[in-house]
Amino acid sequence: MTAAELQWREGRVPVSTRFDDPFFSLTDGLAETRHVFLAGNDLPARFRDGFRIAELGFGTGLNFLATLRAWEDSGQRGRFRFTSFEAWPMARDDMARALGAFPCLAPQAEALLACWSGTGGRLDIGPAVLTVIKGDARQTLPEWPDRADAWYLDGFAPARNPE
């Protein structure tokens, strides 16, 4: 497994060259995340200490950061766990460039980028325990011993990535 291979659309939206698929909406990636993943899972209303989220495709980390921000804004106490399965983690500099499009998430992005190595693993970021499991989800997900209270299923184009 190697790092994500990217092109940049409009200088700010990363596009996977492997699948010719943007990592987030060309119009407003944060609005997309809030609508599809947060609202789609009735979050933050369901948040509680120990809440567990699992995701297919960490990408830029935008979904994680939007969740972290929603947790913080909700006033929820305690911690949550966010586990993401990612075959091709993004390099730190590419992630920083992509997340620069979302200045309202700058404090959360800075915390992520301060500890992001591009190799996955466990990261403690404020109230979140982030675990990025590197590898093909077809192999890594069946071996995962945990459960999730909410799932974020990547909005990739299935015709471009049938696996």
Side-chain angles (χ1 to χ4, degrees):
M1 296 285 158
T2 60
E5 298 169 4
L6 308 174
Q7 293 176 348
W8 293 87
R9 201 164 289 161
E10 299 175 12
R12 61 181 182 81
V13 178
V15 177
S16 167
T17 58
R18 186 174 278 111
F19 302 110
D20 189 31
D21 199 17
F23 278 74
F24 48 76
S25 166
L26 300 174
T27 307
D28 188 341
L30 183 55
E32 172 187 47
T33 290
R34 287 175 171 154
H35 175 74
V36 173
F37 300 114
L38 295 174
N41 278 289
D42 195 25
L43 303 177
R46 293 177 51 220
F47 284 156
R48 60 174 166 65
D49 185 28
F51 197 78
R52 300 167 298 182
I53 297 168
E55 170 187 54
L56 294 182
F58 189 67
T60 64
L62 178 60
N63 296 338
F64 167 72
L65 295 177
T67 303
L68 176 58
R69 176 67 184 265
W71 181 278
E72 293 169 344
D73 288 350
S74 76
Q76 178 66 50
R77 297 198 182 273
R79 302 196 74 183
F80 72 97
R81 292 185 303 177
F82 193 104
T83 304
S84 188
F85 299 85
E86 177 59 61
W88 298 282
M90 192 173 282
R92 186 193 177 287
D93 290 346
D94 289 332
M95 185 179 284
R97 180 177 175 183
L99 294 173
F102 309 103
C104 66
L105 295 176
Q108 292 80 16
E110 288 172 17
L112 172 61
L113 292 166
C115 55
W116 181 253
S117 67
T119 60
R122 179 187 160 138
L123 305 171
D124 289 292
I125 302 173
V129 176
L130 168 63
T131 303
V132 178
I133 299 173
K134 185 176 177 180
D136 187 321
R138 291 174 295 176
Q139 282 81 47
T140 58
L141 186 55
E143 297 172 4
W144 185 50
D146 210 346
R147 294 176 178 231
D149 299 302
W151 275 93
Y152 292 179
L153 301 177
D154 189 356
F156 63 86
R160 296 182 184 174
N161 181 0
E163 290 82 17

